[in-house]
Amino acid sequence: MPLLLAGCQKQEAAKRLPVMVRAETVAIADYAPRTSLTGVIAARTLNNLSFRVGGRVAERLVDVGQHVDKDAVLARIDPQEQESDLRSAQADLDAAQAQLTQASAAFERQKTLLAQGYTTRRDYDAADQALKVAQGSVEQAQSALANARENLSFTELKAGAAGVVTARQVEAGQVVQAAQTVFAIAEDGDRDAVFNVQETLVAKTPAAPAVTITLLSDPQVKATGKVREISPAVDPASGSIRVKVAIADTPAGMPLGAAVIGSASAKPSKAVILPWQALTSSDGKPAVWVVDVSTKAVATTPVNVLAFDSGTVVIDKGLEAGQSVVTAGGQLLSPGQTVEIAGAGQ
């Protein structure tokens, strides 16, 4: 019996012995995590080109990846039909002009005869009307001839601006319809970096953050961009939002399609940053051990975890500045346990 009593006394004494722990004083700081995502370089302006008239493609002059200048001919349609229309319109104009010459001469005769009293007013009015009809016919034929010439020019597809051919959907001998896209050209000039971003990241990022763009294959190639466009809808396939970052004075080392890394900081928020070892669990929820400064006793305090970072945990609710939180040795503690803080008083 005395031996049993002595053993219980030793256990009680062991429980009362303080546990050596490490602790850290809570400090509220601005937390603005930096997010990095992978994207690609894309053209600021992409032109889809098509013929304005239909027909059989007689010649294709460029291919994908080729750089073209403004007004460079990309392809031609067989102009036989348009040339025939042009000849017909020219013949109609010649006929109308001949009729105008005849009507003009007849009107001048009637005008002279009317002044001398050798014709009637009715014949004079008829000649005047015939002249006006002939003039209208000439104007109509001239307009038709201009349209025929324009349609003939449409048999050549030209680049509206200098750029790089990014897509081709036509081959020689193929029959195409008017307005059918046959080429896509990425215009020269500043480029965009395109990223697929999670919706939560978009909400936590400032409206116009400065984005650092780094070439994935060569980190020495860098540029700074600004968010130019944010898609208003979530892509149902990827569950992300497409964000376009404008890169002014795009480096030559960032060609179209190059993989890049975009980095930006989120909106700053007030939070407490602690080592991840400080985190424990209370009733299945995140908590930390808080040391009572006067009694050195510990108690669990529920907290809300804002984020996990490399080696740290970010807490935005549950702690106040000046509190002492156990950061090492918490696995040996129980509520009300007294502790001795390592390094205290040194």
Side-chain angles (χ1 to χ4, degrees):
M1 188 67 178
L3 292 176
L4 180 60
L5 182 60
C8 291
Q9 291 175 347
K10 290 182 179 180
Q11 291 178 1
E12 291 295 330
K15 290 182 179 179
R16 290 193 297 272
L17 290 176
V19 177
M20 184 69 70
V21 297
R22 291 187 180 276
E24 184 175 312
T25 302
V26 172
I28 308 298
D30 287 331
Y31 175 70
R34 194 163 181 82
T35 303
S36 296
L37 297 173
T38 302
V40 295
I41 297 296
R44 176 77 57 84
T45 303
L46 188 66
N47 291 330
N48 293 322
L49 304 181
S50 58
F51 286 102
R52 297 190 185 184
V53 294
R56 183 180 63 83
V57 178
E59 190 177 13
R60 175 180 59 81
L61 303 175
V62 297
D63 210 337
V64 175
Q66 184 175 340
H67 185 275
V68 295
D69 296 327
K70 183 179 180 180
D71 294 330
V73 178
L74 309 179
R76 292 188 176 93
I77 283 181
D78 186 353
Q80 182 177 355
E81 180 180 351
Q82 286 72 24
E83 289 175 348
S84 177
D85 292 342
L86 179 62
R87 289 192 296 268
S88 177
Q90 183 64 58
D92 290 342
L93 177 59
D94 293 341
Q97 287 176 336
Q99 291 179 355
L100 175 61
T101 301
Q102 183 179 4
S104 179
F107 174 74
E108 291 298 330
R109 285 195 301 270
Q110 290 295 324
K111 183 178 180 181
T112 301
L113 292 173
L114 182 65
Q116 297 175 355
Y118 293 114
T119 187
T120 64
R121 188 71 185 185
R122 186 180 64 179
D123 291 341
Y124 172 82
D125 291 342
D128 183 37
Q129 183 179 4
L131 176 61
K132 292 179 179 179
V133 171
Q135 290 173 339
S137 298
V138 169
E139 292 177 357
Q140 183 178 2
Q142 289 174 338
S143 177
L145 179 62
N147 288 337
R149 287 173 177 166
E150 190 175 31
N151 287 337
L152 179 61
S153 69
F154 290 160
T155 59
E156 288 187 343
L157 181 61
K158 298 181 179 180
V164 178
V165 179
T166 60
R168 171 181 55 81
Q169 302 177 6
V170 67
E171 290 290 351
Q174 180 179 343
V175 176
V176 297
Q177 302 296 325
Q180 175 184 338
T181 300
V182 293
F183 286 102
I185 293 182
E187 287 190 14
D188 291 343
D190 295 338
R191 306 297 189 190
D192 285 344
V194 182
F195 302 92
N196 291 324
V197 184
Q198 293 181 0
E199 185 178 6
T200 54
L201 292 179
V202 174
K204 294 179 180 179
T205 304
V211 182
T212 301
I213 308 297
T214 305
L215 188 64
L216 186 61
S217 60
D218 185 3
Q220 299 300 323
V221 180
K222 294 184 178 181
T224 301
K226 291 186 178 180
V227 175
R228 182 178 68 85
E229 178 183 315
I230 299 177
S231 175
V234 177
D235 185 352
S238 62
S240 60
I241 294 177
R242 175 156 292 189
V243 177
K244 295 182 179 180
V245 178
I247 308 174
D249 301 325
T250 308
M254 290 185 180
L256 291 173
V260 294
I261 297 175
S263 302
S265 297
K267 295 178 182 178
S269 59
K270 299 294 183 180
V272 179
I273 302 176
L274 297 172
W276 64 267
Q277 295 91 338
L279 194 64
T280 185
S281 177
S282 176
D283 297 330
K285 297 180 179 180
V288 296
W289 290 105
V290 176
V291 182
D292 188 320
V293 180
S294 59
T295 64
K296 301 298 183 183
V298 296
T300 56
T301 298
V303 295
N304 183 71
V305 177
L306 177 63
F308 291 95
D309 212 334
S310 178
T312 60
V313 59
V314 183
I315 298 171
D316 63 345
K317 293 181 182 179
L319 295 176
E320 297 180 359
Q323 289 182 303
S324 182
V325 175
V326 175
T327 58
Q331 67 274 18
L332 303 176
L333 301 179
S334 59
Q337 174 77 54
T338 59
V339 298
E340 182 176 349
I341 301 174
Q346 294 183 357

